[in-house]
Amino acid sequence: MAGSLNPVKTRTALRTSARISLETLLVLLMTGVVLWILGQMWSVIWPLVVALLLTTLTWPPVRWLRKHGWKPALAAALVTVLFLLVLAGTVVLIAVPVASQSPELASGVVDGIQHLREWASGPPLNIGDDQVTSALDTALDRIQNSVGDIVNYTVTGVSTVVNGLVTAILALFLMFFFLKDGPRFLPWLARQLPGRLAVDVPTVAGRSWDTLGAFVRSQAFVGLLDAVFIGLGLWIVGVPLVLPLAVLTFVTAFVPIVGALFAGFVAVLIALVSNGWTDALIVLAIIVAVQQLEGNVFQPMVQSRGLGLHAAVVLLAVTLGGSLAGIVGSLLAVPIAALIAVFWIYVREQLSDPVPDAVPDEPAEVPAD
């Protein structure tokens, strides 16, 4: 027979639940306030984010020059000028042709989905048209809009940074100052903070910078390799729109898992519309082979899985980021999730009890002869 509830334990459990609920609500409220403030300051936050991402790409050559005796300002200025030249050449040689072919790319994706729809309605699947009409219409709208958005972001570099002249200049100036004065930031930050914060905040900032830099550089390198190999495969097969598809592959590489699936799906649809089922299957085989090389050869070579995020966490982060902020949210979701993981790991380290030192076993006594 079950005993009666203990009133003291019941009150303690209720008070504990109420306290935890109140603290959780306060944390959620504070998070909402911080996000609202960031939204109001987005015109400043966005160039800052872009400058940080660009700095992670351009910092290695600056660091190499500084190690070889170059002054910080001179090294930062040289790398900034070279970056501008590379950016201008990319816009002229790649972005302009991609922009001119983006409507054709979007219409090719829509035509490919229509082909799949007609095939699914016939044997052997015999799927009724009423079963897929609403879903495919929604997919058509989303994919058409997404392709247009991705191409636009590809052409503009990173959203409004290249579209707006003022934002572009601000981001480039910030990148220059980050390259020039970056190593002095953490010591300066430690001097401005009191007590324990002088140690905790610079440590978390340093780890976050290492994680962000490793992610951006590795994804850029792996995305470039994917774009080159898949672009060569499409060119050999004779699929049109090779340059836009290669650029799309590079850009979507910054959205792990989801980006590769999306870019491969678009390439297969274009091959299906233009060349037929045989070439579409060949393109699918090429994409699968390149993705296997990426996952088993390229990525382990340039990135030691340093993010520490499970694939399910990556998928949820990309889905949440895309629903909140569209393409920009999808691109920034995984780095933000990785930075949150860095913060959580550091907090857990500080709250955990130290591991006791192992006591060595005493050697057994050897009996005397």
Side-chain angles (χ1 to χ4, degrees):
M1 181 177 179
S4 59
L5 291 175
N6 187 305
V8 176
K9 291 183 178 180
T10 303
R11 284 195 301 270
T12 302
L14 290 176
R15 289 174 180 172
T16 302
S17 301
R19 188 186 74 252
I20 293 175
S21 300
L22 179 59
E23 292 173 350
T24 304
L25 287 175
L26 290 176
V27 171
L28 292 177
L29 178 62
M30 187 61 186
T31 303
V33 171
V34 171
L35 292 177
W36 180 81
I37 293 174
L38 292 178
Q40 299 300 312
M41 300 173 57
W42 188 246
S43 59
V44 176
I45 297 296
W46 182 231
L48 179 63
V49 171
V50 174
L52 285 173
L53 295 176
L54 295 178
T55 304
T56 60
L57 292 174
T58 54
W59 172 244
V62 172
R63 180 176 54 194
W64 184 84
L65 291 174
R66 294 176 66 159
K67 286 183 178 179
H68 287 75
W70 287 57
K71 298 292 184 181
L74 184 58
L78 176 62
V79 172
T80 302
V81 171
L82 292 177
F83 173 79
L84 289 174
L85 293 176
V86 172
L87 182 63
T90 303
V91 171
V92 173
L93 299 177
I94 296 179
V96 174
V98 169
S100 63
Q101 294 178 320
S102 59
E104 187 178 353
L105 178 63
S107 62
V109 173
V110 175
D111 292 340
I113 294 179
Q114 293 291 355
H115 275 66
L116 291 178
R117 181 177 179 177
E118 295 173 359
W119 173 76
S121 61
L125 298 180
N126 295 318
I127 298 177
D129 188 68
D130 55 343
Q131 299 175 357
V132 295
T133 298
S134 59
L136 284 178
D137 289 341
T138 303
L140 285 173
D141 294 336
R142 287 189 177 182
I143 289 178
Q144 190 169 9
N145 294 333
S146 297
V147 171
D149 290 342
I150 289 177
V151 172
N152 288 334
Y153 285 118
T154 301
V155 173
T156 56
V158 188
S159 183
T160 56
V161 174
V162 180
N163 274 341
L165 181 60
V166 175
T167 307
I169 294 175
L170 179 58
L172 290 173
F173 269 102
L174 287 174
M175 184 188 76
F176 169 76
F177 287 121
F178 290 159
L179 293 175
K180 184 174 84 70
D181 301 323
R184 295 189 294 180
F185 174 72
L186 291 183
W188 173 85
L189 183 62
R191 292 193 299 268
Q192 311 306 313
L193 297 174
R196 179 66 182 272
L197 293 177
V199 177
D200 293 338
V201 175
T203 301
V204 174
R207 294 186 183 183
S208 300
W209 172 256
D210 294 338
T211 300
L212 182 63
F215 171 78
V216 173
R217 288 190 294 269
S218 63
Q219 290 300 120
F221 183 71
V222 171
L224 180 62
L225 292 177
D226 284 351
V228 170
F229 285 112
I230 291 177
L232 285 175
L234 296 175
W235 177 72
I236 293 173
V237 175
V239 177
L241 304 175
V242 173
L243 183 59
L245 290 173
V247 174
L248 179 65
T249 301
F250 174 77
V251 174
T252 55
F254 289 92
V255 185
I257 302 176
V258 177
L261 294 176
F262 179 79
F265 179 68
V266 171
V268 172
L269 287 180
I270 296 297
L272 175 63
V273 172
S274 60
N275 295 27
W277 281 100
T278 302
D279 286 350
L281 293 176
I282 294 175
V283 170
L284 178 61
I286 293 173
I287 292 174
V288 170
V290 172
Q291 293 300 326
Q292 290 300 312
L293 285 174
E294 173 198 331
N296 298 310
V297 179
F298 297 152
Q299 210 159 26
M301 288 173 57
V302 299
Q303 180 183 12
S304 58
R305 310 293 180 182
L307 293 181
L309 298 178
H310 193 274
V313 176
V314 172
L315 287 174
L316 291 175
V318 171
T319 302
L320 179 61
S323 63
L324 294 177
I327 300 299
V328 174
S330 298
L331 292 173
L332 299 180
V334 177
I336 291 176
L339 297 183
I340 294 175
V342 168
F343 176 76
W344 169 248
I345 291 173
Y346 183 78
V347 171
R348 189 177 61 186
E349 289 176 358
Q350 302 307 309
L351 298 179
S352 300
D353 294 328
V355 179
D357 296 332
V359 178
D361 297 334
E362 296 182 0
E365 295 183 0
V366 179
D369 295 335

